[in-house]
Amino acid sequence: MAVYKVKVATGDISAAGTINCISITLVGSAGESSRTTISCSLRPGTEKLLTVRCARDLGPIVLVRLHKWRLFLEDAWFCRHVQVTAPDGTLYRFPCYLWLEGVTTVEVREGSGKKLVDDELELLKEHRRKELKARQEAYQWKNFAEGWPRCLKVDSVLELDSNVQFSCVRATNFTGLLIFQGATHLLSGFLLRPSSWRSLDEMRSIFSRTQGREIGGFLLGPPKKS
């Protein structure tokens, strides 16, 4: 009997936890474990400890599979990382930092930063092929207009995977900054100006008023002294 100690960390960002069921499969060079349930309730910023028992040693752990399924309501889960301690004390780290949505299985490689030529196992080579195919299907190009650079083949950013969209916090920051800058320029006379600028110094005086302030996590430095 080989006993593996597993630690699964949920992200501490908003709504990172889930009430959907999460399970894990350990994949080693000499075999893989059976699917083991982690939990059906994970809270943000927490770490779940569990034990995975196998009939024999799996060899070096090269992948972990995270399985997510639901009984009723969909509730996405953000996994920060997984750590596996083998029976001989070897610690394997699997950085994830991904949202898992819907009924899905995600394979996460051991985080040793290997190149393609370092993959000796066919299992790891196949993982790279599947990952490349998935990216090619997710990110395709289209022509926006004749003579323009090509852009992603989507009608809206909402069609993109959640893992490549801006987070709600970042999107709010950009929106807040845009509103703040627009209001500042309107009040300072930059927008809706009925006449031409009288001098370059007049433009400098207006733009210098927007500097040295912070909004939505963005710091605008003070004007440089001449």
Side-chain angles (χ1 to χ4, degrees), residues 100-144:
L100 276 68
E101 298 177 319
V103 178
T104 186
T105 295
V106 173
E107 291 185 340
V108 183
R109 291 174 64 105
E110 196 268 325
S112 56
K114 294 181 179 179
K115 302 186 293 295
L116 175 61
V117 294
D118 298 324
D119 288 341
E120 298 179 356
L121 297 175
E122 182 59 31
L123 176 70
L124 294 179
K125 294 178 182 179
E126 179 61 21
H127 176 264
R128 286 189 187 269
R129 286 192 288 266
K130 287 198 269 189
E131 186 178 54
L132 177 60
K133 181 180 179 181
R135 289 180 180 273
Q136 289 173 336
E137 292 176 351
Y139 308 115
Q140 299 183 27
W141 296 104
K142 69 177 181 180
N143 289 323
F144 177 74

Side-chain angles (χ1 to χ4, degrees), residues 1-5 26 33 51-59 86-87:
M1 177 71 68
V3 179
Y4 294 84
K5 302 295 183 180
L26 307 183
S33 70
T51 299
V52 176
R53 302 180 185 276
C54 304
R56 60 189 179 90
D57 191 282
L58 303 177

Side-chain angles (χ1 to χ4, degrees), residues 63 73-74 81 103 106 116 120 134 136 143 175 191 194 201:
L63 289 173
L73 298 177
E74 161 62 17
H81 60 77
V103 178
V106 173
L116 175 61
E120 298 179 356
Q136 289 173 336
N143 289 323
T175 303
L191 298 179
D201 289 335

